[in-house]
Amino acid sequence: MYFRVADPERQGVYVGSLDSKPEQQPASRLIATSSEAVFVPAPPSSSAGDGRILFLRDGTLFAQPFNTAQLKLAGDAVPIAEQVGSSNVYGFFTASASGNLAFRTGSVQTGVQPTWFDRHGKELGPVGDSGLGAGRISPDGARLAVSRLENGNTDLWLVEFARGVSSRFTFDRAEETTPVWSPDGKYVVFRSNAMGQFDLYRKASNGTGETETVITSERTKWADDWSHDGKYLSYEELDADGKEDL
């Protein structure tokens, strides 16, 4: 299995048992990677009992032998494809039980190209770089706060429309998305999984000062909007049944 945590020293591929309790699962990591992995079993004709674990690292797809009897790696990782694309932790590749491989090439950085349109639907021109995610325009209309996936990590960036310059806004190894501007444009609230769960944080839009905690809980949450008087922040949270509460 692959699981992602805020600590990059723990991200990667692990092996465990569906019959074991959480505290009984092995804590040692098999492969360090920021993407998910795919296991391909050995063909029936093989006597070694080894399959292959496929995983991405910096856009290169690797295959590493894995012994299913001993639950251990059985050899070195070998590159099998270059410039394989990904979106967040999901690599654009898969493999059948017979060993057939399918993958999509492209930049590791994925996203869209924000573009200006007038009220009649006429395209006016691009905004910032390609590879950007969802974002919000500042109250004064001068900047765009937007998420950007780069080298397997999602951070927030600020785009200045007048100069066409993009600058990184968050810098840790956590995932930061869904920015919301304060009414005066002095702060940006966003969600981050820096502590394991997605909580809400605030940071000055000029990039100075420390990141402040706004709301923490055991459930995933994201901000929606900030009231015009600055007193209230609306946000959504997933309840125990997976439903979205406001």
Side-chain angles (χ1 to χ4, degrees):
M1 71 179 71
Y2 166 84
F3 66 86
R4 189 178 191 189
V5 294
D7 183 1
E9 298 300 321
R10 295 180 56 208
Q11 290 181 9
V13 179
Y14 293 74
V15 62
S17 171
L18 295 177
D19 299 321
S20 298
K21 297 179 180 180
E23 62 272 14
Q24 297 173 330
Q25 301 290 357
S28 58
R29 181 175 58 180
L30 288 179
I31 300 172
T33 176
S34 59
S35 79
E36 65 171 350
V38 172
F39 175 71
V40 182
S45 58
S46 173
S47 59
D50 293 341
R52 297 290 187 273
I53 297 177
L54 307 183
F55 64 94
L56 273 179
R57 184 176 290 157
D58 296 328
T60 299
L61 182 62
F62 289 86
Q64 188 157 7
F66 179 74
N67 188 290
T68 55
Q70 300 180 2
L71 300 181
K72 294 181 179 180
L73 298 176
D76 296 330
V78 177
I80 58 176
E82 300 287 344
Q83 298 182 346
V84 177
S86 66
S87 175
N88 205 342
V89 301
Y90 303 104
F92 300 148
F93 67 93
T94 188
S96 68
S98 61
N100 292 321
L101 173 68
F103 62 91
R104 195 187 86 180
T105 59
S107 171
V108 173
Q109 177 180 315
T110 61
V112 297
Q113 172 64 68
T115 304
W116 279 115
F117 288 82
D118 66 16
R119 293 181 180 272
H120 301 288
K122 180 182 178 181
E123 183 175 333
L124 302 179
V127 177
D129 303 322
S130 62
L132 302 180
R136 292 283 185 93
I137 297 175
S138 61
D140 62 4
R143 291 180 291 175
L144 174 73
V146 63
S147 60
R148 178 175 181 176
L149 175 64
E150 192 171 73
N151 296 326
N153 195 64
T154 302
D155 284 290
L156 292 181
W157 290 65
L158 298 183
V159 180
E160 295 184 38
F161 296 137
R163 298 193 300 157
V165 176
S166 301
S167 58
R168 189 171 175 178
F169 186 62
T170 59
F171 296 88
D172 56 39
R173 291 292 302 171
E175 179 179 325
E176 284 91 18
T177 60
T178 62
V180 171
W181 292 86
S182 63
D184 57 11
K186 294 182 178 180
Y187 293 93
V188 176
V189 162
F190 55 91
R191 78 171 189 168
S192 171
N193 61 352
M195 300 302 294
Q197 183 57 272
F198 278 108
D199 293 316
L200 299 184
Y201 298 86
R202 183 179 78 163
K203 185 177 180 180
S205 61
N206 61 9
T208 62
E210 299 294 327
T211 299
E212 303 173 84
T213 302
V214 177
I215 299 174
T216 62
S217 71
E218 296 180 353
R219 296 174 180 173
T220 293
K221 64 197 72 65
W222 57 93
D224 284 326
D225 207 352
W226 204 320
S227 64
H228 292 299
D229 59 9
K231 294 182 178 180
Y232 299 97
L233 181 75
S234 64
Y235 70 98
E236 294 179 58
E237 184 178 85
L238 292 180
D239 61 22
D241 296 326
K243 298 179 180 178
E244 299 173 10
D245 295 327
L246 184 65

Coordinates of all heavy atoms in Angstrom, one line a residue, residues 198-245:
F198 N -6.4 17.9 7.1 CA -6.5 19.2 6.5 C -7.2 20.2 7.5 O -8.4 20.1 7.7 CB -7.3 19.1 5.2 CG -6.5 18.6 4.0 CD1 -6.7 17.3 3.5 CD2 -5.6 19.5 3.5 CE1 -5.9 16.9 2.4 CE2 -4.8 19.1 2.4 CZ -5.0 17.8 1.9
D199 N -6.4 21.1 8.0 CA -6.9 22.2 8.8 C -6.8 23.5 8.1 O -6.2 23.6 7.0 CB -6.1 22.2 10.1 CG -6.4 21.0 11.0 OD1 -7.5 20.6 11.1 OD2 -5.4 20.5 11.5
L200 N -7.4 24.6 8.7 CA -7.4 25.9 8.1 C -6.3 26.8 8.7 O -6.2 26.8 10.0 CB -8.7 26.5 8.2 CG -9.9 25.8 7.5 CD1 -11.2 26.6 7.6 CD2 -9.6 25.5 6.0
Y201 N -5.6 27.5 7.9 CA -4.5 28.4 8.4 C -4.6 29.7 7.7 O -5.3 29.9 6.7 CB -3.1 27.8 8.0 CG -2.9 26.4 8.7 CD1 -3.3 25.2 8.1 CD2 -2.2 26.4 9.9 CE1 -3.1 24.0 8.8 CE2 -2.0 25.2 10.6 CZ -2.4 24.0 10.0 OH -2.2 22.8 10.6
R202 N -3.9 30.7 8.3 CA -3.9 32.1 7.7 C -2.5 32.6 7.6 O -1.7 32.4 8.5 CB -4.7 33.0 8.6 CG -4.9 34.4 8.1 CD -5.7 35.3 9.0 NE -5.0 35.7 10.2 CZ -5.3 36.7 11.0 NH1 -6.5 37.4 10.8 NH2 -4.6 37.1 12.0
K203 N -2.2 33.4 6.6 CA -0.9 34.0 6.4 C -1.1 35.3 5.7 O -2.0 35.5 4.9 CB 0.0 33.1 5.5 CG 1.4 33.5 5.3 CD 2.2 32.6 4.5 CE 3.7 33.1 4.4 NZ 4.5 32.1 3.6
A204 N -0.2 36.3 6.1 CA -0.3 37.6 5.5 C 0.0 37.5 4.0 O 1.0 36.8 3.6 CB 0.7 38.5 6.2
S205 N -0.7 38.2 3.2 CA -0.6 38.1 1.7 C 0.7 38.7 1.2 O 1.1 38.5 0.1 CB -1.8 38.8 1.0 OG -1.8 40.1 1.3
N206 N 1.4 39.5 2.0 CA 2.7 40.1 1.6 C 3.8 39.1 1.9 O 5.0 39.4 1.6 CB 3.0 41.4 2.3 CG 3.0 41.3 3.8 OD1 3.0 40.3 4.4 ND2 3.1 42.5 4.4
G207 N 3.5 37.9 2.4 CA 4.5 36.9 2.7 C 5.2 37.0 4.0 O 6.0 36.1 4.3
T208 N 5.0 38.0 4.7 CA 5.8 38.2 6.0 C 5.0 37.5 7.1 O 3.8 37.2 7.1 CB 6.0 39.7 6.3 OG1 4.7 40.3 6.5 CG2 6.7 40.3 5.2
G209 N 5.7 37.3 8.3 CA 5.1 36.8 9.4 C 4.9 35.3 9.4 O 5.2 34.6 8.4
E210 N 4.5 34.7 10.5 CA 4.3 33.3 10.6 C 2.9 32.9 10.1 O 2.0 33.7 10.1 CB 4.5 32.8 12.1 CG 5.9 33.1 12.6 CD 7.0 32.3 11.9 OE1 6.6 31.1 11.5 OE2 8.1 32.8 11.8
T211 N 2.8 31.6 9.8 CA 1.5 31.0 9.4 C 0.7 30.8 10.7 O 1.2 30.2 11.6 CB 1.6 29.7 8.6 OG1 2.3 30.0 7.4 CG2 0.3 29.1 8.3
E212 N -0.5 31.3 10.8 CA -1.4 31.1 12.0 C -2.4 30.0 11.8 O -3.0 29.9 10.7 CB -2.1 32.4 12.3 CG -1.1 33.6 12.5 CD -1.9 34.9 12.6 OE1 -2.3 35.2 13.7 OE2 -2.1 35.6 11.6
T213 N -2.7 29.3 12.8 CA -3.7 28.3 12.8 C -5.1 29.0 13.0 O -5.3 29.8 13.9 CB -3.5 27.3 13.9 OG1 -2.2 26.6 13.7 CG2 -4.6 26.2 13.9
V214 N -6.1 28.6 12.2 CA -7.4 29.2 12.3 C -8.4 28.2 12.9 O -9.1 28.5 13.8 CB -7.9 29.7 10.9 CG1 -9.3 30.2 11.0 CG2 -7.0 30.8 10.3
I215 N -8.5 27.0 12.3 CA -9.4 26.0 12.7 C -8.8 24.6 12.6 O -8.2 24.3 11.6 CB -10.7 26.0 11.9 CG1 -11.5 27.3 12.0 CG2 -11.7 24.8 12.3 CD1 -12.7 27.4 11.1
T216 N -8.8 23.8 13.7 CA -8.3 22.5 13.6 C -9.4 21.5 14.1 O -10.2 21.9 15.0 CB -7.1 22.3 14.5 OG1 -7.4 22.6 15.9 CG2 -5.9 23.2 14.1
S217 N -9.4 20.3 13.6 CA -10.3 19.3 14.0 C -9.8 18.0 13.4 O -8.8 18.0 12.6 CB -11.8 19.5 13.6 OG -11.9 19.4 12.2
E218 N -10.5 16.9 13.7 CA -10.1 15.6 13.2 C -10.6 15.3 11.8 O -10.4 14.2 11.2 CB -10.5 14.5 14.1 CG -9.8 14.5 15.5 CD -10.3 13.4 16.4 OE1 -11.2 12.7 16.0 OE2 -9.7 13.3 17.5
R219 N -11.4 16.3 11.2 CA -12.0 16.0 9.9 C -11.5 17.0 8.8 O -11.0 18.1 9.1 CB -13.5 16.2 10.1 CG -14.2 15.2 11.0 CD -15.6 15.5 11.2 NE -16.2 14.5 12.1 CZ -17.5 14.6 12.6 NH1 -18.2 15.6 12.3 NH2 -17.9 13.7 13.4
T220 N -11.6 16.5 7.6 CA -11.1 17.3 6.5 C -12.0 18.5 6.3 O -13.2 18.4 6.4 CB -11.2 16.4 5.2 OG1 -10.2 15.4 5.3 CG2 -10.9 17.3 3.9
K221 N -11.4 19.6 6.0 CA -12.2 20.9 5.8 C -11.5 21.8 4.8 O -10.3 21.6 4.5 CB -12.3 21.6 7.2 CG -11.0 22.1 7.8 CD -11.0 22.4 9.2 CE -11.1 21.1 10.0 NZ -10.0 20.2 9.9
W222 N -12.3 22.7 4.3 CA -11.8 23.7 3.4 C -12.6 25.0 3.5 O -13.8 24.9 3.7 CB -11.7 23.2 1.9 CG -13.0 22.7 1.4 CD1 -13.9 23.5 0.7 CD2 -13.6 21.4 1.6 NE1 -15.0 22.7 0.4 CE2 -14.9 21.5 0.9 CE3 -13.2 20.3 2.2 CZ2 -15.7 20.3 0.8 CZ3 -14.0 19.2 2.1 CH2 -15.3 19.2 1.5
A223 N -12.0 26.1 3.3 CA -12.7 27.4 3.4 C -13.5 27.7 2.1 O -13.1 27.3 1.0 CB -11.7 28.5 3.7
D224 N -14.6 28.4 2.3 CA -15.5 28.8 1.1 C -15.4 30.3 0.9 O -15.2 30.7 -0.3 CB -16.9 28.4 1.4 CG -17.2 26.9 1.2 OD1 -16.5 26.3 0.3 OD2 -18.0 26.4 1.9
D225 N -15.6 31.1 1.9 CA -15.7 32.5 1.7 C -15.4 33.3 3.0 O -15.6 32.7 4.1 CB -17.0 32.9 1.1 CG -16.9 34.2 0.3 OD1 -15.9 34.9 0.3 OD2 -18.0 34.6 -0.3
W226 N -15.1 34.6 2.9 CA -14.9 35.4 4.1 C -15.9 36.6 4.0 O -16.0 37.2 2.9 CB -13.5 36.0 4.0 CG -12.8 36.4 5.3 CD1 -13.4 37.1 6.3 CD2 -11.5 36.2 5.7 NE1 -12.5 37.3 7.3 CE2 -11.3 36.8 6.9 CE3 -10.4 35.7 5.0 CZ2 -10.1 36.8 7.6 CZ3 -9.2 35.7 5.7 CH2 -9.0 36.2 7.0
S227 N -16.6 36.8 5.1 CA -17.7 37.9 5.0 C -17.1 39.3 4.8 O -15.9 39.5 5.1 CB -18.5 37.9 6.4 OG -17.6 38.3 7.4
H228 N -17.8 40.2 4.2 CA -17.3 41.5 3.8 C -16.9 42.3 5.0 O -16.0 43.2 4.9 CB -18.4 42.2 3.0 CG -18.7 41.6 1.7 ND1 -17.7 41.5 0.7 CD2 -19.8 41.1 1.1 CE1 -18.2 41.0 -0.4 NE2 -19.5 40.7 -0.2
D229 N -17.5 42.1 6.2 CA -17.1 42.8 7.4 C -15.9 42.2 8.1 O -15.4 42.7 9.1 CB -18.2 43.0 8.3 CG -18.8 41.6 8.8 OD1 -18.2 40.6 8.5 OD2 -19.8 41.7 9.5
G230 N -15.4 41.0 7.5 CA -14.2 40.4 8.1 C -14.5 39.6 9.4 O -13.5 39.0 9.9
K231 N -15.7 39.5 9.8 CA -16.0 38.8 11.1 C -16.2 37.3 11.0 O -16.0 36.6 11.9 CB -17.3 39.4 11.7 CG -17.1 40.9 12.1 CD -18.4 41.4 12.8 CE -18.2 42.8 13.2 NZ -19.5 43.3 13.9
Y232 N -16.6 36.8 9.8 CA -17.0 35.4 9.7 C -16.3 34.8 8.5 O -16.1 35.4 7.5 CB -18.5 35.3 9.5 CG -19.3 35.8 10.7 CD1 -19.8 37.1 10.6 CD2 -19.5 35.1 11.8 CE1 -20.6 37.6 11.6 CE2 -20.2 35.6 12.9 CZ -20.8 36.8 12.8 OH -21.5 37.4 13.8
L233 N -15.9 33.5 8.7 CA -15.3 32.7 7.7 C -16.2 31.4 7.5 O -16.5 30.7 8.5 CB -13.9 32.2 8.0 CG -13.2 31.3 7.0 CD1 -12.7 32.2 5.8 CD2 -12.0 30.6 7.6
S234 N -16.7 31.2 6.3 CA -17.5 30.0 6.1 C -16.6 28.9 5.5 O -15.7 29.2 4.7 CB -18.7 30.3 5.1 OG -18.2 30.7 3.8
Y235 N -16.9 27.7 6.0 CA -16.1 26.6 5.5 C -16.9 25.3 5.5 O -18.0 25.3 6.2 CB -14.8 26.4 6.4 CG -15.1 25.9 7.8 CD1 -14.9 24.6 8.1 CD2 -15.4 26.8 8.8 CE1 -15.1 24.2 9.4 CE2 -15.7 26.4 10.1 CZ -15.5 25.1 10.4 OH -15.7 24.6 11.7
E236 N -16.4 24.3 4.8 CA -17.1 23.0 4.8 C -16.2 22.0 5.4 O -15.0 22.1 5.5 CB -17.4 22.6 3.3 CG -18.4 23.5 2.6 CD -18.6 23.2 1.2 OE1 -19.0 22.0 0.9 OE2 -18.3 24.0 0.3
E237 N -16.9 21.0 6.0 CA -16.2 19.9 6.7 C -16.9 18.6 6.4 O -18.1 18.5 6.4 CB -16.2 20.2 8.2 CG -15.4 19.2 9.0 CD -15.5 19.6 10.5 OE1 -16.4 19.2 11.2 OE2 -14.5 20.2 11.0
L238 N -16.1 17.5 6.2 CA -16.7 16.2 6.0 C -17.0 15.6 7.3 O -16.2 15.5 8.2 CB -15.7 15.3 5.2 CG -15.4 15.7 3.8 CD1 -14.3 14.7 3.2 CD2 -16.6 15.7 2.9
D239 N -18.3 15.1 7.4 CA -18.7 14.4 8.7 C -18.3 12.9 8.6 O -17.6 12.5 7.7 CB -20.2 14.6 9.0 CG -21.0 14.0 7.9 OD1 -20.6 13.1 7.2 OD2 -22.2 14.4 7.8
A240 N -18.7 12.2 9.7 CA -18.3 10.8 9.8 C -18.8 10.0 8.7 O -18.3 8.9 8.4 CB -18.7 10.3 11.2
D241 N -19.9 10.4 8.0 CA -20.5 9.7 6.9 C -20.1 10.1 5.6 O -20.6 9.7 4.6 CB -22.1 9.8 7.0 CG -22.7 9.2 8.3 OD1 -22.1 8.2 8.7 OD2 -23.6 9.7 8.8
G242 N -19.1 11.0 5.6 CA -18.5 11.5 4.3 C -19.4 12.6 3.6 O -19.1 12.9 2.5
K243 N -20.3 13.1 4.4 CA -21.2 14.2 3.8 C -20.5 15.5 4.2 O -19.9 15.7 5.2 CB -22.6 14.1 4.4 CG -23.3 12.8 4.0 CD -24.7 12.8 4.7 CE -25.4 11.5 4.3 NZ -26.8 11.4 5.0
E244 N -20.8 16.5 3.3 CA -20.2 17.9 3.5 C -21.2 18.7 4.4 O -22.3 18.9 4.0 CB -20.0 18.5 2.2 CG -19.0 17.7 1.3 CD -18.9 18.3 -0.1 OE1 -19.4 19.4 -0.3 OE2 -18.3 17.7 -0.9
D245 N -20.7 19.2 5.5 CA -21.4 20.1 6.4 C -20.8 21.5 6.2 O -19.6 21.7 6.1 CB -21.3 19.7 7.8 CG -22.0 18.3 8.0 OD1 -23.0 18.0 7.3 OD2 -21.6 17.5 8.9

